[in-house]
Amino acid sequence: MSTKAIVRCIFKRRREGELTLIPGEVITINNQDIYSGWYEGMNSNGEHGLFPGQNVQLLMDCETAEKIEESYAADSHYEEINVVELKSKNSNGHSDTSGELVDQDYEVIIPEAEDKRSSNESTPKRISRLYHFTKTEAEPFIEGKTVKTATRIQLTFNENGASWMYPIVPLECTITNPQIETKYSGMKKYISYQITPNDTNISVYHRYKHFDWLYCRLIEKFGSIIPIPLLPEKDIPWRYSDDFVQARMGGLQAWINRISRHPIISQSEIFQHFIRRRDEKEWKAGKRNAERDEAVGGMIFSEIMPSSEFRLLNVEETEKHLTFAKCMGESVRNLITVTEEHTARCTGSVKSEYVKIGKAFSDISASFAKSTCHGKESIGSALAFVGKTYDDIGNVYFHQPKQDVHCLLEISKEYKGLLACFPDIINILKGAIEKAHEYEKLAQVNKVTVKEKEAIVFKAGVVSSAIQAEINHFNHELSSDYKETIQHFLYEQVQMYNKITDKLREAYARFEF
């Protein structure tokens, strides 16, 4: 019997026989037991294929499915919908909120089954981002649409334009103590992490799916104005190995560091809920409230406090921001390529070359040992030490990327994702500027009143100033992070070459006989 399900997370088809999933779409599932958590089903266009079961949520009644299908069919833009609480109906027709849907791991991943995939195909990657904002994202806000929200975001203004209001005491969160836990009588395992904010030192525990939920909510709420960093990817085959757990914890720590440093996200109700709610009922109630939030997407601008200093950026300034984002994105991608190639050389060809040199000196040392000349022991010993020295230098190069290049590579990958978000954000800024200019022209020919024009220009100024505040914050973070990272890189490089120099000096001293 077929079952209906709603798509919660995007999935892009990568192979023949797979089915692309669009958030909000209702899928008909024909088979839930294909392999490794994959389902077989059909979308609203009649296309059949396989997809990860974790990316959809089963619907418990036909009436709900029909309503969502009608709503989805009417939405020509395929916008990601906010998944509300689905209530199952009992036989009397009353709502039953006691039986919640199964708490599935809905991490946006693409599992792999060895018996179904060819060995020469690369492992699919986690869907990297859900950004799909357009120029018209803020248009409802600019045209006067209102939503219920108690949150107020304040901007300050200086010689550089708009800026966020920063908290007096910066928030910091540490992630420690990963634990493997079980549910369903031990049938399902997962890893939870202890999260401790610095202002209370009261810890909460969250698993990866909670981080993924937060990530999706942050994109939905703030994505039209703030680039959200990517979560670390999932590595199913080594899920519970110590190396994987430590690497995952390090990735989550870097992610939450970025979020905690942001003056708006760190103080938002959704993030505060994530780092402070310990009670299970309060946690689930907070999740439902977050998923019902109306101030999402372009309506996030309704939370900006009014100010007489709002300023509409001009087209030239906007293009400069876009050009910078694209240029920096290209430079960062190039830096990633260069550092990855450098790492490969250090752990491969460079070490091999030094090992060959070391072996050559060792062979000469062994040849001297067969000599009958006087003093062969001294020269033989010195040459053997030179051979060992070059072996050691090869090992220094082999281990060096972990000390310097790794940090540079990680920060560059993080900014690669962040910079990729800016074209969407600047598109929204362009849309606001175009709307303001459109109403200015209409006012000149008396097609709209001056008051209507001023209202539109003011709202467009809100969008412009808020995005400018984020650009200023991002540029400060970018400069600060790369300054610190490059300093660390150069310091470790100096330490490495000092170590090599010391080894060569020691080898040189062996020939003073």
Side-chain angles (χ1 to χ4, degrees):
M1 179 179 178
S2 62
T3 305
K4 297 286 187 180
I6 184 172
V7 177
R8 299 194 62 171
C9 295
I10 190 172
F11 169 73
K12 294 182 180 179
R13 165 181 166 173
R14 284 173 167 75
R15 297 179 178 84
E16 187 70 26
E18 294 180 346
L19 181 66
T20 295
L21 301 180
I22 306 295
E25 185 178 17
V26 173
I27 300 293
T28 301
I29 299 177
N30 300 323
N31 192 342
Q32 299 183 40
D33 189 23
I34 302 299
Y35 57 87
S36 299
W38 285 68
Y39 292 175
E40 180 183 13
M42 178 179 68
N43 64 15
S44 56
N45 296 326
E47 299 170 335
H48 292 263
L50 305 178
F51 54 88
Q54 302 178 51
N55 291 36
V56 302
Q57 181 173 14
L58 300 181
L59 299 176
M60 297 306 182
D61 59 67
C62 296
E63 183 179 349
T64 303
E66 290 174 0
K67 288 181 179 179
I68 294 178
E69 279 183 314
E70 291 173 2
S71 174
Y72 178 78
D75 185 4
S76 61
H77 296 291
Y78 292 94
E79 300 266 349
E80 180 181 0
I81 68 169
N82 191 28
V83 182
V84 300
E85 179 185 10
L86 299 173
K87 300 179 180 179
S88 59
K89 301 290 185 74
N90 59 20
S91 58
N92 297 325
H94 298 295
S95 296
D96 180 11
T97 58
S98 60
E100 293 198 12
L101 299 174
V102 176
D103 187 23
Q104 299 182 26
D105 278 333
Y106 58 90
E107 301 170 45
V108 192
I109 53 177
I110 309 169
E112 178 106 30
E114 293 182 0
D115 58 337
K116 296 288 182 177
R117 310 287 185 191
S118 60
S119 59
N120 60 343
E121 290 180 329
S122 59
T123 303
K125 297 293 185 181
R126 177 179 178 273
I127 296 301
S128 60
R129 56 198 291 256
L130 301 176
Y131 276 72
H132 59 281
F133 302 106
T134 65
K135 280 188 178 183
T136 60
E137 188 73 23
E139 191 168 307
F141 164 76
I142 295 174
E143 292 181 343
K145 180 181 177 181
T146 60
V147 294
K148 294 180 180 179
T149 177
T151 304
R152 288 292 177 263
I153 300 173
Q154 185 175 357
L155 299 180
T156 61
F157 296 85
N158 52 41
E159 63 276 7
N160 296 320
S163 174
W164 298 124
M165 180 72 74
Y166 288 81
I168 298 174
V169 180
L171 178 65
E172 295 179 5
C173 296
T174 56
I175 300 180
T176 56
N177 195 24
Q179 299 178 355
I180 297 178
E181 299 183 6
T182 61
K183 62 190 299 186
Y184 306 137
S185 301
M187 295 178 62
K188 186 175 183 63
K189 291 183 180 181
Y190 61 90
I191 304 169
S192 65
Y193 302 87
Q194 181 179 347
I195 305 169
T196 309
N198 64 334
D199 55 353
T200 62
N201 288 323
I202 299 176
S203 300
V204 297
Y205 283 86
H206 283 300
R207 50 195 295 194
Y208 183 90
K209 81 166 201 174
H210 297 156
F211 281 91
D212 190 65
W213 173 85
L214 175 64
Y215 171 74
C216 291
R217 297 278 72 76
L218 291 179
I219 286 183
E220 183 181 35
K221 183 169 181 66
F222 296 107
S224 60
I225 187 174
I226 299 170
I228 307 300
L230 301 178
L231 279 173
E233 294 184 353
K234 185 78 171 180
D235 190 357
I236 300 270
W238 311 109
R239 184 171 185 174
Y240 303 115
S241 69
D242 290 340
D243 289 343
F244 169 74
V245 172
Q246 292 301 316
R248 162 60 59 79
M249 186 170 69
L252 292 176
Q253 182 66 70
W255 187 83
I256 207 167
N257 285 347
R258 175 76 57 187
I259 298 297
S260 299
R261 289 201 305 269
H262 198 283
I264 303 305
I265 300 179
S266 64
Q267 304 303 312
S268 66
E269 183 177 349
I270 184 174
F271 186 68
Q272 290 291 318
H273 171 73
F274 180 79
I275 64 174
R276 305 201 190 280
R277 293 293 177 268
R278 305 180 70 187
D279 181 76
E280 184 69 17
K281 290 184 179 179
E282 289 183 357
W283 164 250
K284 290 185 177 180
K287 284 178 64 178
R288 288 191 287 270
N289 288 337
E291 289 164 359
R292 287 194 290 262
D293 189 2
E294 296 180 2
V296 298
M299 294 310 297
I300 183 64
F301 298 103
S302 63
E303 296 186 346
I304 305 295
M305 292 179 62
S307 171
S308 60
E309 298 186 74
F310 288 145
R311 184 176 74 88
L312 192 65
L313 296 179
N314 58 46
V315 176
E316 183 180 347
E317 290 176 295
T318 304
E319 287 299 329
K320 284 182 179 179
H321 291 313
L322 183 58
T323 301
F324 170 75
K326 290 181 177 179
C327 182
M328 181 58 70
E330 184 177 345
S331 298
V332 166
R333 289 191 294 272
N334 180 60
L335 182 59
I336 291 172
T337 301
V338 169
T339 50
E340 286 178 339
E341 291 174 351
H342 174 74
T343 299
R345 285 195 298 270
C346 287
T347 56
S349 61
V350 173
K351 180 184 177 180
S352 298
E353 286 300 315
Y354 277 99
V355 169
K356 288 178 182 178
I357 295 172
K359 186 177 184 306
F361 282 115
S362 297
D363 289 345
I364 293 178
S365 173
S367 297
F368 268 105
K370 299 176 182 179
S371 172
T372 58
C373 69
H374 177 70
K376 65 178 182 179
E377 293 81 6
S378 298
I379 187 68
S381 175
L383 286 167
F385 188 84
V386 173
K388 181 180 180 303
T389 297
Y390 277 91
D391 281 343
D392 291 343
I393 292 174
N395 287 326
V396 168
Y397 275 103
F398 181 83
H399 294 290
Q400 187 61 23
K402 296 179 182 178
Q403 307 300 322
D404 52 21
V405 175
H406 176 75
C407 294
L408 186 58
L409 191 57
E410 289 302 306
I411 197 69
S412 296
K413 286 182 177 179
E414 185 176 352
Y415 273 104
K416 174 186 173 183
L418 293 172
L419 287 161
C421 304
F422 268 99
D424 285 348
I425 294 173
I426 293 177
N427 258 341
I428 294 173
L429 174 58
K430 285 184 175 180
I433 295 172
E434 290 173 3
K435 196 70 176 178
H437 290 170
E438 175 188 344
Y439 268 72
E440 287 174 344
K441 292 178 180 178
L442 291 174
Q444 291 174 359
V445 295
N446 298 322
K447 290 190 176 181
V448 297
T449 65
V450 174
K451 186 176 181 180
E452 289 174 329
K453 183 263 293 184
E454 289 178 347
I456 293 294
V457 171
F458 179 81
K459 290 291 186 70
V462 174
V463 174
S464 176
S465 297
I467 292 178
Q468 184 184 40
E470 178 55 29
I471 290 173
N472 287 336
H473 169 78
F474 178 82
N475 288 341
H476 177 268
E477 288 274 293
L478 179 69
S479 299
S480 177
D481 285 341
Y482 268 102
K483 174 187 174 183
E484 182 179 337
T485 304
I486 297 299
Q487 281 182 323
H488 173 78
F489 173 79
L490 294 175
Y491 174 81
E492 292 296 338
Q493 284 276 294
V494 170
Q495 295 297 106
M496 179 191 75
Y497 285 112
N498 283 341
K499 189 183 299 183
I500 292 173
T501 301
D502 290 342
K503 289 182 177 295
L504 291 174
R505 288 184 187 279
E506 187 177 359
Y508 175 82
R510 292 298 180 106
F511 287 86
E512 295 178 352
F513 52 80

